[in-house]
Amino acid sequence: MSLFSSDHKAVARRYLWSGLGFLLLGGVLALLIRWQWALPGQPVPGLAWALPESHGALTPPSYTAVFTMHGLIMIFFAVTPLLFGALGHFVLPLAIGARGLAFPRLSALGYQVYAVGGVLVLASFGVRLGPASAGWTAYPPLSTPAFTPGLGQTLVTVAVLCAAASAFLYGLNFVVTVVRCRAPGMTWGRLPLTVWGLFFASVLNVLFVPVLAAATALLLMDRLLGTQFFIAGAAAVGGGGDPVVYQHLFWLFGHPEVYILILPAWGMVGDFVAFFSRRPAHGYRLTAGAMGAVTALSGLVYAHHLFTSGMSPLLGRAFMVLTLIISLPAQVMFLNWLMTLWRGSVRLTSPMLAALGTMVVFGLGGITGLALGAVATDVPLHGTLWVVGHFHLTMGAASFLAVFAGLYFWFPKMYGRAMHEGLAKAHVLSSAVLFLGVFGGQLAAGYAGQLRRLYDPYQYTYLKHLLALNQWTTVFAFLLGAVQVLFVVNLVWTLRRGRAAEQNPWEVGTLEWTSALSPPPEGNFATVPVVLRGPHALSQPEVLERLGRDWIGQAEPLPEPASSEADDALGSVSTVGGAT
């Protein structure tokens, strides 16, 4: 694998390995947070080398740094790069019949910028006063030099800028590729739902990532150049700025980011449910339209994150209504998925199990989010672990399971080797169940009033009784970490000794499986395919009769019927014509 190749498949593999590395780092940081909530102030085994003064125990400053870096790494350097950088780069051109991305060098440049950001994140752990510690949102004034001095916060701020630039570059690339590079016959109505999800999410990237970049650049100027865009009060000189402006800018990006992460997941769920139910996707156009509606509304609901910031009550009511309205298209999608499953010949493969797990955890995350969309219930829950549990079900667990649904589905195409199906099923099933244990525990603790950023919650008498609940939740979290070994073993074994994958192991008709080799060569296709039908042509009687299988490729001509059958058909037509 060349480090400088601009082929979209090579870029995808770079994002894949980098994203998995940061997923491991972010996961370890999450376990440290859980350790602190289960055994507050107790030394963490094996951590004394990093925290010698406390003999390995998390201190309040190190705890704030850990939860800050966990959030930043997971969102900007793990889940987003895995969904877009790895799966998006690999699948999108193949699925639309393109020979590559519209701007291949831009794609390679995007990874290099992301890699620079990743290096800065890692470097921040080694500087004096440690990495960033102002929370993943980097709200000022916490993120200004007055409250987070040292180089670590600055390095991470630059790293976020790099991640934003990378996301903008591949978002722009994906949009142009889908609009301009589709194969002949690949109309908008024949796109796989995965492509629809990636396309809409890329539109959001292009529109809203620059907002995050602008806010982060202004924050960086406050830190380095002495400007006061977000500094107010006693710390300001000559009037200063307004830190609440940063909150508006951040959430103008931050809430669409939820949909940036979940739209590709929804697309994959829509495709996988159809593929493994052996039925055409029910309400294909409605599902694509629902994703479009969510995309259009996503920028209009952000201020429900600011109900407790002193915003006008009139604005609060408007944003509450818009926030509740955006849940309607998601319900349309859920109904379509359920209707596709209904009476289907369901095959419980590992991608299908992961897709079903995504449906469950996202559904629960969406339901728990309704309480945060309404002003009356958001105000008491806003600062509690309820928000963390809801947020992790929707953005964490759902995106995580979608990533692995995609990885298990397309891995044979990426590397030409088949992963062990039993290990893959055990991995996704156990992960889905343990996600419910971890984030269900957080929802319960939040409902009981545990505030989300406390170093030691049990200093408060009214929270002491939550220690047992948090300890059980921590057990689930460590088990969740442990079962990821199943994936690592499967991955290493498959790459070293895995059996060669079949050309079309899932028996589906999309172009990457029916018109390209595994793994695909540079240029993807020997000849550019001419698309004849949609992606879910499954269990059609004429295909069963003429091909002896229940699927047909999107670019595969359907053979003419045998002569006797054709004569019978013509006779029937003549009879009908004569009767008329």
Side-chain angles (χ1 to χ4, degrees), residues 349-384:
T349 61
S350 54
M352 180 63 160
L353 288 173
L356 294 175
T358 304
M359 288 174 58
V360 172
V361 295
F362 185 81
L364 290 174
I367 291 170
T368 55
L370 293 176
L372 302 174
V375 177
T377 44
D378 176 75
V379 170
L381 291 172
H382 186 82
T384 69

Side-chain angles (χ1 to χ4, degrees), residues 395-442:
M395 282 188 73
S399 300
F400 178 96
L401 289 172
V403 163
F404 281 96
L407 270 180
Y408 286 128
F409 186 76
W410 283 296
F411 192 87
K413 181 60 61 178
M414 293 178 91
Y415 289 96
R417 292 179 182 273
M419 299 190 86
H420 190 280
E421 186 67 357
L423 282 176
K425 288 180 181 179
H427 172 234
V428 295
L429 271 178
S430 54
S431 295
V433 171
L434 290 167
F435 272 132
L436 296 178
V438 175
F439 303 131
Q442 289 185 340

Side-chain angles (χ1 to χ4, degrees), residues 124-402:
S124 71
F125 284 93
V127 301
R128 185 171 173 271
L129 300 181
S133 56
W136 81 276
T137 53
Y139 275 1
L142 275 177
S143 55
T144 60
F147 295 92
T148 49
L151 186 59
Q153 185 75 41
T154 303
L155 289 178
V156 173
T157 306
V158 178
V160 171
L161 265 179
C162 292
S166 172
F168 178 80
L169 291 177
Y170 58 62
L172 181 66
N173 213 348
F174 287 4
V175 170
V176 177
T177 301
V178 174
V179 172
R180 299 291 300 170
C181 302
R182 302 191 309 278
M186 181 60 87
T187 61
W188 289 96
R190 291 174 175 171
L191 289 174
L193 290 168
T194 301
V195 175
W196 274 113
L198 286 166
F199 175 74
F200 283 130
S202 300
V203 169
L204 292 179
N205 261 331
V206 172
L207 291 176
F208 294 108
V209 164
V211 178
L212 170 71
T216 306
L218 294 176
L219 181 63
L220 195 62
M221 291 171 68
D222 279 0
R223 287 191 64 85
L224 298 178
L225 303 181
T227 56
Q228 299 181 25
F229 293 107
F230 305 127
I231 296 175
V237 177
D242 187 349
V244 179
V245 172
Y246 176 88
Q247 295 186 28
H248 280 273
L249 292 173
F250 181 86
W251 287 114
L252 188 53
F253 154 80
H255 198 76
E257 172 70 4
V258 175
Y259 300 107
I260 287 171
L261 291 181
I262 206 62
L263 279 165
W266 284 346
M268 282 189 272
V269 169
D271 277 337
F272 295 171
V273 164
F275 292 157
F276 296 112
S277 297
R278 313 311 290 173
R279 297 188 65 195
H282 184 273
Y284 169 91
R285 291 184 179 179
L286 269 178
T287 300
M291 286 195 280
V294 168
T295 303
L297 288 170
S298 64
L300 303 177
V301 302
Y302 80 93
H304 69 251
H305 294 274
L306 303 173
F307 284 157
T308 59
S309 69
M311 190 170 61
S312 163
L314 290 176
L315 284 175
R317 181 177 297 178
F319 279 108
M320 177 180 72
V321 172
L322 287 167
T323 301
L324 298 179
I325 286 175
I326 204 172
S327 65
L328 297 178
Q331 293 173 35
V332 170
M333 276 182 288
F334 260 83
L335 286 174
N336 282 335
W337 297 337
L338 294 175
M339 289 300 293
T340 305
L341 285 166
W342 179 250
R343 295 184 177 176
S345 301
V346 177
R347 297 179 181 178
L348 292 177
T349 61
S350 54
M352 180 63 160
L353 288 173
L356 294 175
T358 304
M359 288 174 58
V360 172
V361 295
F362 185 81
L364 290 174
I367 291 170
T368 55
L370 293 176
L372 302 174
V375 177
T377 44
D378 176 75
V379 170
L381 291 172
H382 186 82
T384 69
L385 276 182
W386 181 276
V387 178
V388 180
H390 153 72
F391 174 83
H392 278 78
L393 280 172
T394 50
M395 282 188 73
S399 300
F400 178 96
L401 289 172

